[in-house]
Amino acid sequence: MLKFIRGKGQQPSAERQRLQKELFAYRKTAQHGFPHKPSAMAYDPVSELMAIGTQTGAIKVFGQPGVEFYGQHTMSSGSAAELNVQMLEWVYGTGRLLSLTAANQLILWEPVGAALIAIKTLPFDGKLKKVSALCCSLNKDIVWVGTEGGNIYQFDLKSFAIREPVIYHDVVLEQVPPTYKLNPGAIESIKQLPNAHNKLLIAYNRGLCVLWDLETSSVTRSYIAPGHGQSVGLFINANGTQFTWYHADGSYATWSLNSTDVPKNLNYVPYGPDPCKSINRLYKGKRGLIDITVFSGGMPRSAYGDHNCVSVHASDGNKTCLDFTSKVIDFFVTYKDESDLAQVLIVLLEEELCAYDLVDPKVPAVKAPYLHSVHASAVTCNYLASQVSQEVHEKIQRAGEEQDANYSNIEWPITGGILAEGVENDDVNEDDKEYEILLTGHEDGSVKFWDCTDIVLKPIYNFKTATVFGHENQDDIPLDATESVDESEPPFRKAGLFDPYSDDPRLAVKKISLCPKTGQLIVGGTAGQIVIANFDGNDEEKAPLKVSSMNLVSDRDGFVWKGHDQLNVRSNLLDPNAEPVCTDGVQITGVLQVLPPASITCLALEANWGLVSGGTAHGLVLFDFKNFLPVFHRCTLNPNDLTGAGEQLSRRKSFKKSLRESFRKLRKGRSTRNNPTQQVPTTLDARPIERQVEARSADDGMGSMVRCLMFAKTFITNVNITSPTLWSATNSSTVSVFLLHLPPAQTAATSTPPASGDTSAPQIRRVTAQLAKEIQLKHRAPVVGISIFDQTGCPVEQLNGGNGSPPHRVLIASEEQFKIFSLPQLKPINKYKLTANEGARVRRIHFGSFYCRASAELIQSAIAGGSPTKSTRSHDATPNAELANTSMGSAADAAADTRLYHEMALLCLTNLGDIMVLTIPELKRQLNAAAVRREDINGISSLCFTNAGEALYMMSSSELQRISLGSSKVVTPLGGIEVEPLATIDEQNNSSHDDGVKEDGAECTEADKFAAPIAKERTIKVLEVSVDSNGLTNGMASSGEGNSPNRANETISSSIGDITVDSVRDHLNTTTTTLCSTTTEETVGRLSVLSTQTNQTLTTVNMKDINDFNIPHLMDVAPNSSTTETSTSSVVIKSVITSISHEKTNGDTTETVTTKTTTHEESQF
């Protein structure tokens, strides 16, 4: 009790709280991979931007690599149809985008900061007004909206309203030849002529196409395609002289715009004469003097109706039919300099994005810089190698370049947007740069390497283990992807990388380990196989493949394995004269088979010692892969577990606690024996509430599973000498420490890591191991992680072979608690009960490094009497790699006495999707963030931490979400788009007030002038708060001094530190704002534009004063009701606050609500 009372009184000081705000900040930063369930795509040839919409309401815009924007539709009426994006249309050259949802709502989006903001919404009511086609004017002022009723409405982008005249289908019918007597049906396609902007080409569903003159509102020409049933769409060539009309029966024909004569090839069906499926999209172009036609669909209905194809047909007879493994959503073709010369075909599929070079007659694939499908084969495990050296990264990259030899070298055509200055050249010391590499293990036995150092997730290598296993004659290897099925059939060519099927489930990868300094790779599989490989390209050391096996249950006579068999290595690879298994610069040196062939549950690698350890449900093995000799194996199966005779601690209620509470109840004269729901007496209210933890049965059969393995050089025998050790832990909380005896050559390697060309000692001396110590945790919860750290809190595995600052301590993290022991005594020092206090279970732990800039006085005050794990550095020693993509330093900071403060912290992921940051070794919680939805089991199980306080997890089967837990390392899109101002009548009259106000004559970009459109009955003025910012962030440029005379109106940090609001409280206290609107078309986005800044402020904000958040990235700030804090370095949000003057007339009553604003010295409106 005394210990508890003392603990309650130790609250963090004000200085520590300030430092905590600067160090830790949770935010979702970037998204990698391929969008989940894509449903629409659009391309802007003027701005060279591509947009993709999904069934879940997400919109993603991509330009050149590094330029990315995310938007999200919201549900206002609770209908999922409001999220399903069915159509996208660019407002060409302006950066704005229109989306049509399944709820028949038209929404206008504008890029602001890193997000897309929905600035206007227009709903269409009635079945006849179901939108079926969109076409944006090349003059950027009108969008023509075609409906299923056959009418076309003119939609004014300036007023965001429908205007006259409407092109009614009965008016059109009056002007077409009398031979056409059908109801034309829905509008299928609307195209504006590129050479005559006053004319529209309109295709109706039932074989009618008309050329409409907008000036005279009359039909210029009409085209009738008899006998083809439903029309699908149109394509107009660049000169505006011809159009191609394609139909639902798989036919297409090219018509002349100047003549109504029916073309000769009116009945041309590319894959006829059998009935064919509909052609869904068609483009035409030229390859030199040769005409090419690209279309999707059109397959023979009976024979190949289930194929997902895009065909490329050339007039010289060269035909290619790209056969994809997933559904074709849409595609487009890019052209050279607004001509008919086709460049690149980009196909959006249900599971991936593919691109092809149309200049080359062979139509080779083009490697896209982004939107790669992470789940080409189902992802079975993730591993993040942090701080990979430049040398290892180059080896992996060289190996990947050999795999990419068949890709086309044509330049990527989507190059829109502007990258912020300095983004491309931020790596000053390229040789010292460290990389983050994500490794994904797949169901087909492959391991893919992804460079996730920057905003773009780059695939750099694909390592395949399936080539080692199988039959000798290799008849299980798939055929060449370029082979055609039959010359008489459509010329199919297997296209795309998505292949969800695996021939053998035993190939699935379960665990991966990569040494970031040497490039040694270890892959553990489902059938107990451990594949050993390296990226060393030295030909002298290459040797034939070696295979070894280790039996864990050889001494257990009664054990019978009832699972699957082991995988067989191809016998031709085991011949003494066989060639080494070396492909693309990677050599597979050996395969270790663990018996029984159960799934590998954990792996540990120590490349400098040449050791690898693997664990299964039956025990663990230790293997010397340099000499290819087994060291030892240990079976963790306990015969007592099967009978339940082992000691089992009931953790429902200890006897001591029960006795103490019984006496207290007697003393109070009441009993809860007959009323179990009654509250605990008030005498216990001051104690921390411990939740009931279910007792674990001893006969569950899973207690023997090895959950974690770790190599470490630490103090285990005495306090003076470090020894190589192997730590293992099981599901039943048994922690074993093995003392390793390494031969001299391998011992020397621990202090000076060998070069890639060094050879091992000529005389082979075996590595030996013995059990040194064993720990049995009483609560018997599965151990999920072990880590040994030094006095500064740095894990020994991150010390690159050094010993760090003694003494060492070991952290043992079970599912229910963290416990720290001293070394070598193994005396308990501290513990943190997570499950008992919060009801959550630990899923993953990692140590992260956090930096921030702070004044020397603040750092000294925070460290005084604090933990020895904190350290400071001079501001001259700022590592570029640690502070990448941040603007932590400014002129004001350089003048002040600032230091780079460094702190190691423990990162913990729970089964509820929460991420906690705890100090080491005090285990004081610094941050708790709801990172992953608790229902998202795959997301929680796939999350990986980096050494710099970042994390990646799979937000869907094909997408990765990146999050940051600290202010020192934030990887976020820094590109921007020049947005054309959407001029309105009111803004033209008040143009002088809408210019971006900048300090010291800083330049104002187009994106700074965020303008909101107005309707006829409303007047919306946008007031922009100008704040200090360093550099260009997300296309927004602003500058200012580091110190401001009006600090109370500058910066505010929320309690989670990642989002701050500029002067919201000061503005709201002096402003009366009434938003007389209920729909999103009458409300403008409130907050925008993230930028970075270093300030020293003391401010207060009440988050409840902010009416609405329409940005998913800002949702995290909503639960914080109020915040008061002082900060020296923070992230500023530039606030766009709308001022609405709304007039509503009801009979003779007129109500006017006007917004008043007050101008401060620093924030000019």
Side-chain angles (χ1 to χ4, degrees), residues 642-687:
L642 301 178
T643 61
E647 290 186 40
Q648 184 67 32
L649 178 68
S650 174
R651 292 169 297 135
R652 289 181 179 274
K653 190 180 294 183
S654 69
F655 175 75
K656 188 183 296 183
K657 287 183 180 179
S658 178
L659 194 62
R660 184 183 299 122
E661 291 180 8
S662 298
F663 275 110
R664 284 174 176 158
K665 291 172 186 176
L666 289 173
R667 193 178 299 119
K668 287 293 182 180
R670 68 168 69 94
S671 173
T672 60
R673 190 173 304 165
N674 298 325
N675 186 11
T677 61
Q678 189 173 338
Q679 292 289 335
V680 180
T682 54
T683 55
L684 300 179
D685 288 347
R687 306 183 62 218

Side-chain angles (χ1 to χ4, degrees), residues 251-269:
S251 67
Y252 70 86
T254 300
W255 298 63
S256 172
L257 274 165
N258 300 322
S259 172
T260 59
D261 297 339
V262 177
K264 297 179 181 179
N265 61 345
L266 180 65
N267 296 320
Y268 176 64
V269 181

Side-chain angles (χ1 to χ4, degrees), residues 420-430 433 453-455 879-886 969-972 974:
E421 294 181 4
V423 174
E424 295 179 347
N425 301 319
D426 59 349
D427 303 323
V428 180
N429 296 326
E430 192 68 27
K433 183 176 180 180
T453 310
D454 301 317
I455 181 62
N880 292 330
E882 297 293 345
L883 298 178
N885 294 336
T886 56
K969 182 73 182 293
V970 180
V971 177
T972 186
L974 296 177

